[in-house]
Amino acid sequence: MKNRLTELFKKEPSKKVLSIFCTAGFPELNSIVPICESLEENGVDLIEIGMPFSDPVADGPVIQEASDVALKNGMTLEVLFRQLESLRERVSVPILLMGYINPVLQYGLERFVTSATSVGVDGVILPDLPLPEYRQQCKDLFANNNLSAVFLVTPHTPEDRIRELDSESSGFLYVVSTPSTTGSKLEVVAEQQEYFSRLRAMELKNPLLVGFGISDKESYERVCEHMDGAIIGSAFIRCIRESNDLSGDIQAFIKSIRS
Amino acid sequence: MSFYVNKEGYFGNYGGAYIPEFLYPNIEELRTSYREIVDSDDFKSEFKKLLRDYVGRPTPLYFAPSLSKACGGKIYLKREDLCHTGSHKLNNALGQALLAKRLGKKRIIAETGAGQHGVATATACALLGIECVVYMGQVDTERQAPNVARMKYLGAEVVPVTSGSKTLKDATNEAMRDWIAHPITTHYIIGSVVGPHPFPDMVARFQSVISEEMRAQLKSETGNECPDIVVACVGGGSNAIGAFYNYLEEESVRLVAVEAAGEGVDTDRSAATLALGKDGVLHGCRTVLVQTEDGQVVEVHSASAGLDYPGIGPQHAHLHQSKRAEYVSATDEEAFIAARELSRLEGIIPALESAHAVAYLKKLSLSENDTVVVNLSGRGDKDMESYFSFEESRREK
């Protein structure tokens, strides 16, 4: 069985990828599969499903709130995998699961990998899983099950570490745009350009997708000039938060980014 | 068996640095430099001088005659409540602030529960002229209002945290987010022996002065550096580690850590992590956590804001697993009663946190010749309102 994620970038290497992040169990307990269907219908290339956690320190307030709502709705990994049983009859784009390590450890690492591959998940992003522990406990398990691991780099990640994270990633490398909230917008843009060119010049093995701070057409197009695509999370969560018409609002949102 | 951190940052099965990549440069900077800095002669002499002249160390080791009579044994109180700012927290806050200064940091952030660590950090920052921001759960800003006022008066900014349970765990989340957003300029002074490596080890080293002094003081008092038992309260566990640190390899010394049982470990309003928790990962380390089957961290309860934390330091998790220390608990009510008893018997009003350690003395079934040291981690001024409302509720019954 081929990994849809690695296939995606092989098929059309020059295509700019749009990835959407959505927390499972938000806004309603059963929303995630219909949302994935809608995203695919509107041309989204890749979907990251967020596994909610009570203490999401690497996320901003919007995703934390979505996480809290999802947990109140009763979302757990057990429930999520049950919901995703029908996923591959309905959705064919690559799917990643993104979340924190603790719920995965409680579910059981091997059991998690088995459940994920059996429902057709292609990759996993666990931002608080350290590299040494990944190598020791996950690397072989993921590889044997054809599951990609995607790691993050930030503007402060040193070059040798970027290479290390690139070599451990498969599918793509998650490029965090500047986490800093200081400085004028222009300064931020100039800093970003420098960071993107630096990454480009490194000739890494993985495609580079940019996440954090991408919210509209302008920011999407700006990163696509330099990188292989972008990931939108909080802006999408805001779009569906108060939606009475999920499929209509999702269509309008994706159009607003990529028309 | 080693009770100390190994080179991978683990205490047995617990510890490590489970952090998102954003924090990697900060943690790596600390990991590679903290030992070199804190072990340097220059740092040691500055820190030592400040501990003596500013914090007021060594703190007394006081033989408590009336408490001894009431509980049996020979009971000594290690008077951390007499430290400047009113608790042991300044030992660590000052040590880390000096470290931050040497790392060229311009800004310091901290989380706080009862407010003792926040006050200690605000104090250290005022002393060293560093900008200070303290994150505090909104619930805690209300129940510990005097400490909020002290922090502000010292020039710190206090940010009330309204996410999640609005207590210590959420304040820690917000402080971590701040650190993520300001990785270069800012140092995060974690107040307990929790967080990613090297924090648990670093904080333990700064607090180890407590048991270093105990040894010398007991020696001159009794002729023996080692007591039979050391008792301390434990939330995250910084005062307990400080009191245990220099006795870990003395097998004859019983180490007893008292968790906050809240309304009882068999109720859903308790904060006794080791009694109720399972292995997991929170705030950057692998440790024991109170959590649901699905791995969501549970809100815990204790009347004392300083013990209201669903995790425990990884070194404690290891001392528990290896059975080097005993982890027991005392309820809110037992702590309140012990606080009043200590106040009336010895004229010492303890912090509600520390009162948990005092409360356990009666359960130790001490014999006359047992020498016990209780680490009295803080003073009770901040808890007077709670103490009075407890007295009132008892009268109503």
Side-chain angles (χ1 to χ4, degrees):
Chain A
M1 175 93 193
K2 280 181 176 164
N3 181 303
R4 295 170 199 85
L5 187 60
T6 41
E7 288 301 303
L8 169 73
F9 294 98
K10 257 191 236 157
K11 244 182 330 197
E12 289 177 85
S14 62
K15 188 185 172 194
K16 300 299 180 184
V17 164
L18 173 60
S19 175
I20 296 287
F21 169 94
C22 185
T23 303
F26 179 84
E28 307 289 337
L29 180 62
N30 297 308
S31 300
I32 194 66
V33 174
I35 286 174
C36 289
E37 274 184 297
S38 218
L39 288 170
E40 175 166 304
E41 275 164 26
N42 289 289
V44 167
D45 306 290
L46 171 64
I47 299 167
E48 291 164 30
I49 298 177
M51 304 178 280
F53 182 49
S54 52
D55 295 81
V57 291
D59 289 298
V62 174
I63 291 172
Q64 169 159 26
E65 210 191 299
S67 226
D68 288 344
V69 170
L71 292 174
K72 279 195 192 99
N73 287 342
M75 182 47 74
T76 64
L77 280 178
E78 304 268 353
V79 171
L80 177 60
F81 285 125
R82 230 175 298 134
Q83 290 179 355
L84 295 183
E85 274 167 17
S86 65
L87 176 79
R88 286 304 174 198
E89 294 156 23
R90 299 160 73 175
V91 178
S92 62
V93 296
I95 301 273
L96 288 109
L97 293 178
M98 182 167 186
Y100 295 79
I101 187 68
N102 195 52
V104 174
L105 291 176
Q106 300 313 315
Y107 188 84
L109 198 55
E110 284 185 32
R111 185 168 163 241
F112 173 80
V113 170
T114 309
S115 298
T117 38
S118 78
V119 299
V121 164
D122 305 287
V124 177
I125 312 175
L126 297 166
D128 63 343
L129 176 66
L131 265 187
E133 283 76 4
Y134 165 75
R135 289 197 181 108
Q136 218 173 30
Q137 294 160 33
C138 307
K139 192 176 175 171
D140 292 345
L141 189 62
F142 285 14
N144 294 340
N145 288 279
N146 201 14
L147 204 59
S148 289
V150 171
F151 288 92
L152 282 70
V153 300
T154 82
H156 301 297
T157 310
E159 180 170 339
D160 53 347
R161 186 164 168 88
I162 295 177
R163 295 204 184 277
E164 202 182 354
L165 292 162
D166 180 50
S167 81
E168 295 292 0
S169 288
S170 62
F172 64 94
L173 192 62
Y174 195 126
V175 175
V176 176
S177 67
T178 173
S180 169
T181 51
T182 56
S184 74
K185 201 170 174 191
L186 272 178
E187 273 169 348
V188 171
V189 170
E191 249 172 61
Q192 258 186 21
Q193 308 291 37
E194 185 277 327
Y195 167 50
F196 293 162
S197 334
R198 187 157 53 87
L199 284 173
R200 245 319 143 230
M202 285 176 70
E203 298 184 345
L204 299 168
K205 79 168 199 207
N206 282 294
L208 304 171
L209 297 194
V210 182
F212 286 71
I214 318 295
S215 57
D216 52 19
K217 189 177 170 73
E218 190 201 339
S219 43
Y220 173 73
E221 287 179 350
R222 194 170 60 233
V223 304
C224 284
E225 270 174 45
H226 306 269
M227 308 303 248
D228 302 301
I231 302 155
I232 299 179
S234 298
F236 179 72
I237 296 281
R238 270 193 298 262
C239 152
I240 61 171
R241 193 163 51 188
E242 276 131 33
S243 174
N244 295 318
D245 168 22
L246 272 183
S247 76
D249 288 339
I250 290 172
Q251 184 181 31
F253 181 81
I254 302 301
K255 264 198 177 145
S256 79
I257 304 289
R258 239 192 187 174
S259 57
Chain B
M1 174 175 302
S2 168
F3 302 117
Y4 301 98
V5 77
N6 68 18
K7 64 181 195 312
E8 282 82 35
Y10 278 84
F11 304 86
N13 295 327
Y14 302 105
Y18 290 77
I19 45 161
E21 189 61 28
F22 313 91
L23 289 176
Y24 180 83
N26 311 36
I27 294 295
E28 193 60 9
E29 178 183 39
L30 273 182
R31 190 185 67 83
T32 53
S33 61
Y34 84 108
R35 287 297 301 278
E36 198 183 315
I37 294 174
V38 304
D39 292 342
S40 71
D41 291 339
D42 163 63
F43 183 94
K44 280 200 285 201
S45 74
E46 188 179 2
F47 188 43
K48 212 173 165 183
K49 189 168 182 336
L50 283 171
L51 285 181
R52 188 190 66 201
D53 302 340
Y54 188 74
V55 182
R57 305 206 70 93
T59 57
L61 183 75
Y62 166 69
F63 174 68
S66 306
L67 185 67
S68 296
K69 210 171 280 168
C71 301
K74 297 189 186 72
I75 297 171
Y76 290 84
L77 302 177
K78 179 59 175 162
R79 299 290 309 275
E80 291 301 297
D81 60 316
L82 293 177
C83 284
H84 179 38
T85 75
S87 81
H88 72 292
K89 291 290 187 188
L90 190 56
N91 303 330
N92 166 53
L94 193 58
Q96 284 200 52
L98 288 174
L99 175 72
K101 201 147 192 185
R102 279 169 172 72
L103 291 172
K105 304 293 176 180
K106 307 280 179 244
R107 182 171 171 271
I108 277 174
I109 55 171
E111 85 296 335
T112 197
Q116 293 301 97
H117 173 57
V119 168
T121 304
T123 299
C125 288
L127 174 71
L128 300 174
I130 308 176
E131 183 189 343
C132 179
V133 178
V134 180
Y135 289 89
M136 188 169 186
Q138 198 181 36
V139 170
D140 294 333
T141 61
E142 284 157 16
R143 61 179 165 178
Q144 302 288 342
N147 275 341
V148 176
R150 291 166 79 197
M151 286 183 266
K152 288 183 175 164
Y153 199 68
L154 287 160
E157 183 191 343
V158 180
V159 181
V161 174
T162 56
S163 58
S165 57
K166 306 181 177 66
T167 61
L168 182 54
K169 155 179 102 79
D170 310 282
T172 308
N173 292 342
E174 285 311 317
M176 285 199 167
R177 289 199 180 108
D178 180 311
W179 208 22
I180 286 169
H182 306 96
I184 308 289
T185 56
T186 298
H187 176 69
Y188 175 18
I189 301 191
I190 294 185
S192 192
V193 285
V194 301
H197 176 67
F199 279 103
D201 181 55
M202 184 167 66
V203 177
R205 283 167 191 274
F206 288 138
Q207 294 295 1
S208 67
V209 65
I210 298 172
S211 48
E212 191 185 310
E213 290 174 4
M214 276 182 193
R215 290 190 76 121
Q217 289 166 325
L218 269 180
K219 171 103 183 166
S220 74
E221 186 84 3
T222 67
N224 187 350
E225 289 176 68
C226 294
D228 296 302
I229 309 175
V230 179
V231 186
C233 68
V234 59
S238 69
N239 93 79
I241 282 292
F244 295 172
Y245 199 87
N246 291 287
Y247 291 117
L248 290 174
E249 285 171 338
E250 302 281 3
E251 279 174 34
S252 68
V253 181
R254 254 178 94 183
L255 304 174
V256 178
V258 186
E259 295 192 300
E263 294 174 12
V265 288
D266 49 356
T267 71
D268 58 359
R269 289 176 63 75
S270 175
T273 301
L274 287 171
L276 301 168
K278 285 184 299 190
D279 287 7
V281 172
L282 178 67
H283 295 147
C285 65
R286 192 180 166 89
T287 185
V288 175
L289 310 175
V290 188
Q291 56 186 317
T292 65
E293 224 162 87
D294 186 46
Q296 309 299 336
V297 183
V298 166
E299 292 173 19
V300 292
H301 168 82
S302 163
S304 79
L307 303 179
D308 210 349
Y309 183 69
I312 189 166
Q315 192 168 12
H316 284 294
H318 176 53
L319 295 176
H320 174 251
Q321 191 180 49
S322 62
K323 300 196 162 61
R324 173 60 191 97
E326 298 158 48
Y327 291 81
V328 297
S329 65
T331 62
D332 290 345
E333 187 172 3
E334 288 165 339
F336 278 121
I337 290 168
R340 191 183 50 185
E341 191 172 16
L342 185 65
S343 304
R344 301 290 167 92
L345 287 177
E346 300 288 349
I348 296 170
I349 303 176
L352 184 52
E353 289 76 15
S354 322
H356 286 74
V358 178
Y360 199 74
L361 286 171
K362 292 209 168 137
K363 297 191 186 167
L364 284 169
S365 330
L366 298 171
S367 68
E368 212 179 310
N369 292 323
D370 289 331
T371 303
V372 182
V373 179
V374 179
N375 195 33
L376 203 71
S377 55
R379 68 173 185 233
D381 307 39
K382 68 183 179 60
D383 297 307
M384 289 320 299
E385 211 181 302
S386 313
Y387 288 166
F388 276 112
S389 55
F390 178 74
E391 295 299 311
E392 226 150 81
S393 72
R394 298 245 303 173
R395 266 197 297 276
E396 279 163 19
K397 277 178 196 165

